[in-house]
Amino acid sequence: MEARRQCHRVSPLLLVLLAVVITAGRCGAQVPVPARTDGFVYGGQAWAPAWGEAVVVEAFFDPLCPDSRDAWPPLRRAADHFGARRVAVVVHLFPLPYHSSSFIACRSIHAVHKLNASAAYPLLEKFFKYQEGYYNTPTYTKTRAAVVAKIANNLVAPVIGEANLAAYRAGFNDSRSDQAARISFKFGCARGVTGTPYYFVNGIPLVDLDFPLDYDKWVSTLDPLVGKM
Ligand SMILES: *[C@@H]1O[C@H](CO)[C@@H](O)[C@H](O)[C@H]1NC(C)=O
Ligand SMILES: *[C@@H]1O[C@H](CO)[C@@H](O)[C@H](O)[C@H]1NC(C)=O
């Protein structure tokens, strides 16, 4: 049987670390409660439909994870098929520690989202498309400043426009984007996320399905739930 395709092949270490952190009192105790629930709602609206009014699919993605990149198009197609009133898709960013530029990538998407909420998904898709340039090996000899600048010029500028780059850079440097990216990570940890992609449907983790989930699998998983509404 093929192993579940997920960016967590190196995760035994992470699991041990998580177990140690949890049993040792969580390195900072209470996770800060954000003013709004973490996550970007797909489809343009700023909020997910109220509980009980749609099937809610939550996807945890790392912008620099190849399995997340491959997982998004079929989920997006399924979301478009059902429409946001029937299936609400919410993406949570989950920066995996063994992808060295992931936190920067997540922070960048949070900074852009603050400038223009509709730009978060286009930027996530840019990261997916060009992520190979930001993997550990190609960035090994680059400084953090160089990676941040390359993201701004090559990925962010085409999405938000050159004219908004200064505002983006200020937002990226602002501690609020740092905090938002930390919350994304902690939000996933608090719910037991150990790799990406990782999904919850109506709050329940999908663990027994055959991964990766293709379009047909998404439709056959969601159809019966949508039919019961
Ligand atoms: C926000 O981003 C979207 C998607 O990139 C774009 O179509 C729209 O024009 C932007 N809005 C503003 C006010 O810049
Ligand atoms: C962002 O922070 C870096 C490092 O502290 C600094 O060099 C850079 O000038 C800052 N950029 C902006 C736009 O504030």
Side-chain angles (χ1 to χ4, degrees), residues 166 169-170 173:
R169 288 201 179 97
N173 268 15

Side-chain angles (χ1 to χ4, degrees), residues 130-147:
Y130 297 106
Q131 63 175 209
E132 288 176 12
Y134 302 87
Y135 286 170
N136 294 354
T137 307
T139 56
Y140 188 73
T141 58
K142 292 197 162 60
T143 62
R144 179 186 163 85
V147 174

Side-chain angles (χ1 to χ4, degrees), residues 115-120 122-123 158-160 164:
L115 284 182
N116 177 351
S118 320
L123 181 58
V159 171
I160 63 166
N164 294 313

